[in-house]
Amino acid sequence: MVYIDQRLQLMRKKSVNLILIGFGNVGKAFFHLMEEKAERIRIQFDLDLNLKAIFDVEGGLFSASPIKQNHVLETSARALALNPLWKPGLSLGTVLREVEAGVLVECTSSNIKTGEPGLRHINEALENGWHVATANKGPLAVDFKGLGEKARRNRLELKSSGATAAALPALDVGLYSLAGTEVLAIEGILNGTTNYILTKMARGTSYSEALKEAQAKGIAERDPSLDVEGWDTAVKLLLIANAVMGLNLSLENIEVEGITGISAQVIEASKKEGKAIKLLGKVHREHSHIKAEVSLSAVDRSHPLFGVDGTNKGITYFTDSMGAVTVTGGKSDPRGAAAALLKDIINIYR
Amino acid sequence: MVYIDQRLQLMRKKSVNLILIGFGNVGKAFFHLMEEKAERIRIQFDLDLNLKAIFDVEGGLFSASPIKQNHVLETSARALALNPLWKPGLSLGTVLREVEAGVLVECTSSNIKTGEPGLRHINEALENGWHVATANKGPLAVDFKGLGEKARRNRLELKSSGATAAALPALDVGLYSLAGTEVLAIEGILNGTTNYILTKMARGTSYSEALKEAQAKGIAERDPSLDVEGWDTAVKLLLIANAVMGLNLSLENIEVEGITGISAQVIEASKKEGKAIKLLGKVHREHSHIKAEVSLSAVDRSHPLFGVDGTNKGITYFTDSMGAVTVTGGKSDPRGAAAALLKDIINIYR
């Protein structure tokens, strides 16, 4: 019996080619985590992940045999371009066409207005038979419908856990665990930076001090406007609501409020009533109309997101047959996003 | 383009035969929910669910064409045996062999000592090429390993969301959303009855009053011993930990404490320290050793399960690459369990 089982396993073992594009914090974290987990993934899921190329802005590192971590780190700790495998000006399209299709891992930085350069990368991948796992939310914010249809038409997967809330499995729960139930409404704390600032303010810190602290810790960016003005939350809400509720929202359909106008007095007053002020992304149906907003909301102790503090995130799905289902936590750092990408890749081949 | 898409859909549309065994609260809820959701499941997942037989203790209702709800309810509101399709003494094995294989939906009542009668049903289904979705935890408590191996050997799915915590997607998150991460520890509030009693006690009600109230509301059974002595929690912990951490625990490996010994004083004292007393199922690795227990635990405000009150449940996975991921909520009534069964069936055919 053991003999037969082993033969079955050998037959099922699947080799999957990967291309990584974008070698910033998340791309690097993915590169490291992939090596760290390769053996486990081989044993547990019968998947051999072969990284064939890494692209950054100036070109690509490409190898016919899988790229090994040691080789990259030893020869090009400072820049990919120092690696002997480096090909300046190499285009993504060339590799997508020349290598047997697997998964494009999209980690370039996010532009929620143009979607570029990720939008072009994802389109090119889907047109050449490659699945996509993206940590970049720009392309989906700009063309959710078009990319989704292209993937379906070509029978490919377009996975975006890493783009919606890093290791918080918001999309998995919405798409997989709630299969067959109707999602009536969604409420989420989807941005760690603003939740950190609001948590600090509830403990007496002023807005500007809390923001400075967040920036010093690397939680907030030097230009924090996308976070504190609510746009990061809005984009994640858009991605999740469109996927889970089958909508076609674009950013113009979402009423967006940030946290910049919040006063210490309002927070203090809510606290006295036993409530917490949270920046919630919310979507619900009002009759046949969909209402989507990002707004400062006072939530009371009985709300499932009441205790989600600091950089933590969380999301609640209100459903017809399963009641309210909430998922919280999950690392929101580059390693968490990398783990979400890896999870998506594994689940493409289940 | 629409034309092609529709043709693809037609080609993919899948007809799935179901056998429902056990027609108590959960079985009936499944029967109703299936009818309620049939159209949605057909459109969204391209699945046609055809109920071919319903079994209760004395026999089965069997039909070559799919059984319709109206027909069952109109002719046999009081007992299945009044239906013209009723066949006294009909055996499950006969139907498993005569009908094209689909999914056996196991809803008979749970016996965690013998696993019967569900154990026999599930074995028979797997031997005849049928997938299984079970709301009955007895069989898995008794023979987790044997049933799992039989399913794998026959390339069949054995799904048990409905048995582990009804609509709380504990297994989905553990198996799907955490793919590729290492689960270092699990902590869960897995029993609604005991959590209800503890929540009431924290608000000043005595143990015996809280229990009586729970019984009056149908939350606790007349003989509440399986719940209040911790065994229900232990069985769910076993199912989840074995599946998610790849263990082979049996009930003897779990140290089980219930809530019967708790005093109002202890609860009051914890409350003063800002903590809540919860009945937690816990598994963690201590070096190479696995420690599994069900115990009364004082959790503080920062614990992700701190706010899980009343009949609500929740589970936290502590992982190496994704941090702590928690899922809470989900209806724990028969409709919630039915929704979990339906979700499992849909996901078998994704």
Side-chain angles (χ1 to χ4, degrees):
Chain A
M1 199 50 78
V2 168
Y3 172 68
I4 291 176
D5 278 2
Q6 280 174 346
R7 277 195 35 194
L8 286 175
Q9 292 227 335
L10 274 175
M11 285 163 55
R12 278 187 317 181
K13 182 90 67 186
K14 203 169 167 70
S15 183
V16 173
N17 291 332
L18 302 181
I19 299 173
L20 171 60
I21 189 157
F23 207 60
N25 289 340
V26 174
K28 280 182 185 134
F30 176 79
F31 177 70
H32 288 288
L33 190 66
M34 202 195 105
E35 280 275 323
E36 185 185 325
K37 296 287 188 183
E39 186 59 21
R40 186 187 189 79
I41 291 171
R42 198 170 293 130
I43 294 169
Q44 200 180 342
F45 301 101
D46 294 315
L47 275 187
D48 246 322
L49 301 181
N50 299 323
L51 184 61
K52 303 294 260 187
I54 306 174
F55 283 89
D56 76 5
V57 189
E58 285 98 26
L61 201 151
F62 171 66
S63 164
S65 53
I67 295 168
K68 287 290 159 220
Q69 190 169 54
N70 292 345
H71 193 252
V72 172
L73 297 184
E74 278 163 23
T75 56
S76 47
R78 280 177 303 135
L80 287 180
L82 297 177
N83 193 291
L85 299 171
W86 177 257
K87 297 180 180 54
L90 180 70
S91 87
L92 175 64
T94 307
V95 179
L96 286 169
R97 280 184 293 273
E98 283 184 8
V99 174
E100 192 192 345
V103 185
L104 175 74
V105 184
E106 203 342 302
C107 295
T108 64
S109 59
S110 180
N111 181 321
I112 63 169
K113 287 196 182 118
T114 66
E116 297 299 355
L119 188 55
R120 192 160 32 84
H121 301 155
I122 296 180
N123 270 307
E124 222 171 349
L126 295 174
E127 285 155 13
N128 285 284
W130 287 70
H131 301 291
V132 173
T134 179
N136 176 354
K137 48 188 161 300
L140 288 163
V142 170
D143 190 20
F144 187 89
K145 198 175 168 210
L147 292 173
E149 280 172 1
K150 189 171 282 186
R152 269 191 299 281
R153 215 159 44 230
N154 297 334
R155 307 278 184 106
L156 294 166
E157 299 270 356
L158 169 53
K159 293 281 215 175
S160 56
S161 292
T164 43
L168 176 79
L171 278 178
D172 290 341
V173 169
L175 292 172
Y176 190 86
S177 305
L178 304 184
T181 195
E182 190 178 355
V183 175
L184 308 169
I186 297 176
E187 296 190 3
I189 296 173
L190 300 172
N191 178 271
T193 307
T194 48
N195 202 43
Y196 177 88
I197 293 173
L198 291 172
T199 302
K200 280 283 164 182
M201 288 182 77
R203 288 168 195 163
T205 311
S206 73
Y207 174 78
S208 59
E209 268 175 78
L211 174 58
K212 247 184 256 162
E213 224 180 283
Q215 286 170 319
K217 288 191 173 180
I219 294 165
E221 304 197 36
R222 217 175 308 164
D223 173 5
S225 53
L226 277 180
D227 289 333
V228 298
E229 287 168 11
W231 292 102
D232 180 73
T233 300
V235 173
K236 288 172 183 162
L237 183 69
L238 178 158
L239 265 58
I240 295 168
N242 281 356
V244 174
M245 296 174 77
L247 305 176
N248 187 25
L249 295 174
S250 59
L251 279 176
E252 302 95 77
N253 307 126
I254 307 179
E255 233 173 89
V256 181
E257 177 187 26
I259 64 166
T260 53
I262 186 86
S263 75
Q265 285 78 359
V266 171
I267 290 182
E268 196 47 41
S270 306
K271 215 173 138 187
K272 275 186 188 139
E273 290 173 25
K275 293 181 181 174
I277 299 281
K278 297 291 182 190
L279 186 68
L280 291 188
K282 302 187 204 177
V283 176
H284 67 274
R285 286 179 201 274
E286 268 178 8
H287 310 291
S288 66
H289 179 73
I290 296 290
K291 192 163 163 19
E293 63 181 73
V294 175
S295 62
L296 285 163
S297 312
V299 301
D300 66 22
R301 204 167 289 273
S302 68
H303 193 290
L305 301 176
F306 178 81
V308 176
D309 280 338
T311 58
N312 271 320
K313 292 181 289 227
I315 189 163
T316 302
Y317 295 100
F318 299 91
T319 76
D320 67 336
S321 53
M322 292 194 180
V325 174
T326 300
V327 59
T328 61
K331 264 186 206 265
S332 51
D333 59 3
R335 188 171 158 90
L341 287 166
L342 211 48
K343 176 254 314 254
D344 276 354
I345 294 168
I346 292 167
N347 288 334
I348 289 173
Y349 293 95
R350 283 265 177 112
Chain B
M1 197 51 81
V2 168
Y3 173 67
I4 292 176
D5 277 5
Q6 281 176 344
R7 278 196 34 198
L8 286 175
Q9 291 226 337
L10 275 174
M11 284 164 56
R12 278 188 317 182
K13 184 89 68 188
K14 203 170 167 71
S15 183
V16 173
N17 291 331
L18 302 181
I19 299 173
L20 171 60
I21 189 157
F23 207 60
N25 289 339
V26 174
K28 281 183 185 134
F30 176 80
F31 177 69
H32 287 288
L33 190 66
M34 202 195 105
E35 281 276 322
E36 184 185 326
K37 295 287 187 183
E39 187 58 19
R40 185 185 190 79
I41 291 171
R42 198 170 292 130
I43 293 169
Q44 200 180 344
F45 300 100
D46 294 314
L47 275 187
D48 246 322
L49 301 181
N50 300 323
L51 184 62
K52 303 294 259 186
I54 305 173
F55 283 88
D56 76 6
V57 190
E58 285 100 25
L61 201 150
F62 171 67
S63 163
S65 53
I67 296 169
K68 288 290 158 220
Q69 190 169 53
N70 291 346
H71 193 253
V72 172
L73 296 184
E74 278 163 22
T75 54
S76 46
R78 279 177 303 134
L80 287 180
L82 296 179
N83 194 291
L85 298 172
W86 177 258
K87 297 179 179 55
L90 180 69
S91 88
L92 175 64
T94 307
V95 180
L96 286 170
R97 281 183 293 274
E98 283 184 7
V99 174
E100 192 192 347
V103 185
L104 176 74
V105 183
E106 208 334 307
C107 296
T108 62
S109 60
S110 179
N111 182 322
I112 63 169
K113 287 196 184 117
T114 66
E116 297 300 355
L119 187 55
R120 193 161 31 84
H121 301 154
I122 296 179
N123 270 308
E124 222 172 350
L126 295 174
E127 285 155 13
N128 285 285
W130 287 70
H131 301 292
V132 174
T134 178
N136 176 354
K137 48 188 163 298
L140 288 162
V142 170
D143 190 20
F144 187 90
K145 198 175 168 212
L147 293 173
E149 280 171 2
K150 189 172 280 185
R152 269 191 299 281
R153 217 161 40 234
N154 297 335
R155 307 278 185 107
L156 295 166
E157 299 270 356
L158 169 53
K159 294 282 216 175
S160 55
S161 292
T164 42
L168 176 78
L171 277 178
D172 289 341
V173 169
L175 292 172
Y176 189 86
S177 305
L178 305 184
T181 196
E182 191 178 353
V183 175
L184 308 169
I186 297 176
E187 296 189 3
I189 296 173
L190 300 172
N191 178 270
T193 307
T194 47
N195 202 42
Y196 178 88
I197 293 173
L198 291 173
T199 303
K200 281 282 163 185
M201 288 182 76
R203 290 169 193 163
T205 311
S206 73
Y207 174 80
S208 60
E209 267 176 79
L211 175 59
K212 247 184 258 162
E213 223 179 284
Q215 285 170 320
K217 288 190 174 182
I219 294 165
E221 304 196 35
R222 216 175 308 166
D223 173 5
S225 54
L226 277 181
D227 289 333
V228 299
E229 286 168 11
W231 292 103
D232 179 73
T233 300
V235 173
K236 289 173 183 162
L237 183 69
L238 178 158
L239 265 58
I240 295 168
N242 282 356
V244 174
M245 297 174 78
L247 306 177
N248 187 25
L249 296 174
S250 59
L251 279 175
E252 303 94 76
N253 307 125
I254 307 179
E255 234 174 87
V256 181
E257 178 187 25
I259 65 165
T260 52
I262 186 84
S263 76
Q265 285 77 0
V266 171
I267 290 183
E268 196 49 41
S270 305
K271 213 173 140 187
K272 274 187 187 139
E273 292 172 25
K275 293 180 178 174
I277 299 279
K278 298 291 181 189
L279 187 68
L280 291 187
K282 302 186 205 179
V283 176
H284 66 276
R285 285 179 202 276
E286 267 177 8
H287 309 292
S288 65
H289 180 72
I290 296 290
K291 192 164 164 19
E293 64 181 74
V294 176
S295 62
L296 285 163
S297 310
V299 301
D300 65 23
R301 203 167 289 274
S302 68
H303 193 289
L305 300 176
F306 177 81
V308 176
D309 281 339
T311 57
N312 271 319
K313 292 182 289 229
I315 190 164
T316 302
Y317 295 100
F318 299 90
T319 76
D320 67 338
S321 53
M322 292 194 181
V325 174
T326 300
V327 59
T328 61
K331 265 186 205 264
S332 51
D333 58 4
R335 187 171 158 90
L341 287 165
L342 211 48
K343 176 254 314 252
D344 275 353
I345 294 168
I346 293 168
N347 287 334
I348 289 173
Y349 293 96
R350 282 263 179 117

